[in-house]
Amino acid sequence: MGKQDLFEHSPIRLFDKATNGGLKDGEIGLVTSKKGLGKTSVLVQFGMDAILEDKQLVHVSFDQHSANVITWYNSIFNEIAKRKNISDIEDMKEEMVRERTILNFNQENFTLPKVIKTLKALKDAGIKLAALVIDGIDLTKVSEADMKVAADFVKTENIKAWFSTTADGEKLSDSVPEENLQKFFTAILHLSPKPDGVVVSIVKLRDRNDISTSLKLDSKTLLITEK
């Protein structure tokens, strides 16, 4: 019983099923919602899924301290592990820590191109980046040129990347410049509160919009689940 078994039972398998395979290498996904609905949890689930597949992950946070991000990973791992009887859970955690790099920046003085420059430096130092998460970025402050730097990096390195941003309004264009929405994001997930919990809507997947799914976040664990 090991990481492969946990990978097969990851909540992300539900997303993959709903999207006929999910995000591909070289593509960027985006998670949006109002504050406090579970964006970080969803991104950590994508990040954890990459680690369970033995991929080196870099998690960049713009709105949480590294200690909080680590707590999220421990919590998500524990919830996934509960589904299976794992005897060496602590050893597995230590192994996964070696496959994860967490960076914390302030967007007021650290732009997206600077993040990419840092990632390239990590690569030069021997960290074989294979998956990327950028959490809490204010995309209203990211220009098309800056977004292109990130998109070119993701495509060149042939990795999967997930971003999250806060969406206070109903229109995605209020939180993400329209040209960036159309050019750079392959998949867009939106979290919205409903009487029976937080619903995960897939509002874009390549050339498709408003894909019908039954995905939501579990009210206790915030894991992706089905209604």
Side-chain angles (χ1 to χ4, degrees):
M1 192 76 68
K3 287 194 293 183
Q4 181 59 36
D5 193 63
L6 290 183
F7 176 79
E8 292 173 358
H9 291 84
S10 164
I12 302 304
R13 300 290 75 73
L14 295 175
F15 170 76
D16 288 349
K17 179 181 177 182
T19 56
N20 194 27
L23 211 61
K24 293 179 170 43
D25 291 340
E27 296 180 335
I28 302 176
L30 174 66
V31 180
T32 71
S33 79
K34 294 182 178 180
K35 290 183 179 180
L37 290 183
K39 293 188 300 297
T40 296
S41 172
V42 173
L43 257 65
V44 168
Q45 288 173 68
F46 280 114
M48 179 64 68
D49 197 66
I51 294 172
L52 291 174
E53 204 176 12
D54 288 323
K55 292 181 177 180
Q56 186 72 43
L57 169 75
V58 174
H59 183 120
V60 177
S61 179
F62 279 107
D63 64 355
Q64 294 199 46
H65 293 297
S66 296
N68 293 337
V69 177
I70 291 171
T71 298
W72 270 111
Y73 274 95
N74 287 336
S75 176
I76 293 298
F77 177 82
N78 289 337
E79 292 298 337
I80 296 175
K82 283 180 183 178
R83 302 178 175 188
K84 308 300 294 182
N85 184 21
I86 300 176
S87 59
D88 57 345
I89 186 170
E90 293 304 322
D91 291 340
M92 196 177 296
K93 278 185 179 180
E94 290 183 10
E95 180 183 349
M96 289 192 294
V97 166
R98 295 193 292 270
E99 296 177 342
R100 180 191 71 204
T101 301
I102 297 174
L103 304 174
N104 181 246
F105 298 124
N106 184 327
Q107 197 170 345
E108 296 302 321
N109 52 36
F110 215 88
T111 63
L112 189 54
K114 285 185 178 181
V115 172
I116 300 304
K117 185 177 181 179
T118 301
L119 297 180
K120 290 179 178 179
L122 290 175
K123 179 186 174 184
D124 292 342
I127 294 179
K128 298 179 180 179
L129 172 64
L132 174 64
V133 163
I134 298 182
D135 189 19
I137 188 169
D138 185 348
L139 289 174
T140 64
K141 298 179 180 178
V142 177
S143 68
E144 182 177 352
D146 284 0
M147 192 65 213
K148 186 177 185 304
V149 171
D152 287 348
F153 176 79
V154 169
K155 187 173 182 179
T156 299
E157 297 300 320
N158 200 33
I159 63 176
K160 295 177 184 178
W162 280 96
F163 287 44
S164 80
T165 193
T166 298
D168 291 324
E170 293 300 321
K171 295 181 180 179
L172 281 176
S173 56
D174 292 337
S175 303
V176 188
E178 187 64 34
E179 60 271 20
N180 290 351
L181 277 174
Q182 299 304 322
K183 287 186 178 181
F184 303 116
F185 294 104
T186 299
I188 300 175
L189 281 60
H190 183 66
L191 312 182
S192 54
K194 301 294 181 182
D196 60 342
V198 175
V199 172
V200 181
S201 301
I202 303 172
V203 298
K204 178 185 176 182
L205 181 66
R206 299 181 184 88
D207 58 350
R208 300 172 59 194
N209 297 306
D210 297 320
I211 298 170
S212 177
T213 73
S214 58
L215 300 180
K216 70 171 188 175
L217 299 186
D218 183 275
S219 59
K220 293 182 179 179
T221 66
L222 292 183
L223 294 183
I224 296 173
T225 186
E226 292 181 304
K227 299 178 185 177

